[in-house]
Amino acid sequence: MRKTRHLSAMVSAAVLTTAMLGQAQATELKYATGYPPNSIGSKAADRYAEALKEHSGGTLTGKVYPQTLLNFMEMSDGLRDGMADAGAVLLTYSSTEYPRANLVGESSMLLEFTDLEQHRAGMAFGGAMAEYLFNHCDSCLEEFTQQNQVYAGAGASTRYMLLCNEPVTTVEDLKGKRLRHGGANWARWAEAMEASPVSMSVNEMYEGISQGVLDCTIQSTPELTIFKMMEVVTHITTDVPGGVYGTSSNSINRDFWQSLDTKQREAVMYATAVTSADITWAYAQASLDNLETARELEDITVHAPSEGLVEANRKFIRADLERIASAYQERYGIADGEKMLADFRPIIEKWAGMVDDIDSPEALAELYWDEVYSKVDVDRHGF
């Protein structure tokens, strides 16, 4: 009887010790995001942390730092230096460091020539950008390596519109206007419309509009609530200029990535598919909801662009798609830009036909995982 009790006690102690060791061996990943707390971006980051723990069997956990550890302007350098282990990098904020990835991102206005519903554009572009960088652009991935990072995936906004403090519906209205932009393609669009492009952090545009430093921001409508722009924007012009903001939804500090085992790296890829789908889906829904809300508010007027502005916009897009490659060759010495865009275009067109029936973030995450993220060889990628 005593031997049985002694053996039982030993087994219980062994089980407890194993559990404690398992907990002790769990690795915590610090995930930074420039999105404010309780926003679409921070909630998608929370889903990332949940998916990490779930898919790693508890050996990898995540702690999310919304707009505290690093803001968007600081993100790339902060990940490089190990201030955070992972985070969402807005690539246009570091254009010199990521010229090839930005070249791909600037081609998002190609979506204007597809039949995609407006709110589904980001779903297609996020999938297409991830597939292209992982499978067709080693030189893009090398840009992340040079920043001591490992590229882990893409997310995308909904189509960009004009969020303004006065009516802007014609080409004439745009002349001289100060337009905040989030990328070089929209800066070129502003210049083509004889407006003045203004480079400003997304975290500063509320103040810019409210104080009259800006007349408009070229933005997707979810920012009306994410950054409280609903309080200062009084006029919205839909359908122009178009395009989406495609960026790195998850970049990993390279030293941290290489310290993980195979299962943990697979968990990172799975969690990236989840967070990329989650934020992209949430943007799509917020785009629909915010436009509906704006139409109901007395303080905001939603406009359709004039026929002349629509035609000027399409003319610009056609011409700009031919100029992107030469602009990047002149500025960054990228000699194969035309080939990059030629290779990327059919991938966008393919993805435009893959998201029509997506009806939930879970379905989008499954699509991203099956088509892209599950196929990444995590024992070679990032080494």
Side-chain angles (χ1 to χ4, degrees), residues 227-240:
F227 296 102
K228 300 183 179 181
M229 298 297 291
M230 197 85 76
E231 299 175 359
V232 293
V233 165
T234 55
H235 294 270
I236 300 171
T237 303
T238 62
D239 303 320
V240 294

Side-chain angles (χ1 to χ4, degrees), residues 179-226:
L179 309 182
R180 183 265 170 191
H181 65 88
N185 51 334
W186 292 298
R188 293 191 298 272
W189 183 85
E191 291 172 346
M193 301 300 160
E194 298 183 41
S196 298
V198 178
S199 179
M200 179 182 291
S201 166
V202 69
N203 302 110
E204 299 172 331
M205 62 186 178
Y206 179 103
E207 186 176 353
I209 289 285
S210 65
Q211 294 187 358
V213 175
L214 302 173
D215 298 305
C216 303
T217 178
I218 302 172
Q219 210 74 38
S220 60
T221 53
E223 273 73 24
L224 288 168
T225 48
I226 293 174

Side-chain angles (χ1 to χ4, degrees), residues 66-125:
Q67 212 177 42
T68 51
L69 190 58
L70 296 168
N71 63 33
F72 283 129
M73 291 292 289
E74 301 164 334
M75 190 66 64
S76 182
D77 289 349
L79 291 176
R80 179 197 64 202
D81 298 338
M83 293 180 65
D85 302 314
V89 176
L90 301 190
L91 299 174
T92 58
Y93 286 13
S94 304
S95 56
T96 302
E97 289 78 9
Y98 308 99
R100 288 179 172 272
N102 276 310
L103 187 156
V104 177
E106 283 192 32
S107 68
S108 70
M109 287 186 176
L110 282 168
L111 292 162
E112 301 307 306
F113 300 111
T114 70
D115 295 327
L116 268 175
E117 294 176 279
Q118 181 170 295
H119 69 287
R120 294 185 183 274
M123 300 181 198
F125 197 78

Side-chain angles (χ1 to χ4, degrees), residues 8 15 53 82 94 116 143 150 158 174 182 255 274 304 318 361 368:
S8 176
V15 170
K53 185 175 182 179
S94 304
L116 268 175
E143 293 177 344
V150 176
T158 50
L174 278 165
D255 300 320
V274 169
R318 292 189 189 97
Y368 285 170

Side-chain angles (χ1 to χ4, degrees), residues 96-330:
T96 302
E97 289 78 9
Y98 308 99
R100 288 179 172 272
N102 276 310
L103 187 156
V104 177
E106 283 192 32
S107 68
S108 70
M109 287 186 176
L110 282 168
L111 292 162
E112 301 307 306
F113 300 111
T114 70
D115 295 327
L116 268 175
E117 294 176 279
Q118 181 170 295
H119 69 287
R120 294 185 183 274
M123 300 181 198
F125 197 78
M129 189 169 183
E131 179 178 334
Y132 179 77
L133 263 66
F134 279 128
N135 301 332
H136 303 279
C137 193
D138 289 343
S139 57
C140 297
L141 301 179
E142 179 61 24
E143 293 177 344
F144 289 85
T145 301
Q146 293 300 315
Q147 299 306 310
N148 196 35
Q149 295 173 39
V150 176
Y151 175 78
S157 70
T158 50
R159 279 191 171 115
Y160 269 33
M161 304 179 184
L162 296 174
L163 312 184
C164 305
N165 56 19
E166 60 181 279
V168 179
T169 62
T170 68
V171 175
E172 285 298 318
D173 290 339
L174 278 165
K175 291 181 178 179
K177 292 292 187 294
R178 294 158 297 181
L179 309 182
R180 183 265 170 191
H181 65 88
N185 51 334
W186 292 298
R188 293 191 298 272
W189 183 85
E191 291 172 346
M193 301 300 160
E194 298 183 41
S196 298
V198 178
S199 179
M200 179 182 291
S201 166
V202 69
N203 302 110
E204 299 172 331
M205 62 186 178
Y206 179 103
E207 186 176 353
I209 289 285
S210 65
Q211 294 187 358
V213 175
L214 302 173
D215 298 305
C216 303
T217 178
I218 302 172
Q219 210 74 38
S220 60
T221 53
E223 273 73 24
L224 288 168
T225 48
I226 293 174
F227 296 102
K228 300 183 179 181
M229 298 297 291
M230 197 85 76
E231 299 175 359
V232 293
V233 165
T234 55
H235 294 270
I236 300 171
T237 303
T238 62
D239 303 320
V240 294
V244 302
Y245 193 100
T247 195
S248 171
S249 57
N250 190 27
S251 293
I252 314 294
N253 173 273
R254 192 163 180 253
D255 300 320
F256 182 82
W257 170 264
Q258 293 183 357
S259 74
L260 302 177
D261 62 31
T262 298
K263 184 175 178 61
Q264 289 172 327
R265 289 193 292 270
E266 288 175 349
V268 169
M269 299 311 302
Y270 176 79
T272 305
V274 169
T275 193
S276 298
D278 199 84
I279 193 169
T280 302
W281 177 266
Y283 257 79
Q285 296 308 300
S287 175
L288 297 173
D289 294 343
N290 283 356
L291 269 179
E292 182 178 348
T293 299
R295 287 188 171 101
E296 294 171 353
L297 292 175
E298 292 183 1
D299 295 336
I300 298 179
T301 304
V302 179
H303 307 271
S306 68
E307 290 185 9
L309 180 52
V310 169
E311 181 52 38
N313 187 57
R314 294 177 73 85
K315 181 179 179 181
F316 165 81
I317 294 171
R318 292 189 189 97
D320 193 59
L321 288 171
E322 297 178 0
R323 287 196 298 259
I324 293 175
S326 60
Y328 271 80
Q329 181 171 12
E330 180 179 337

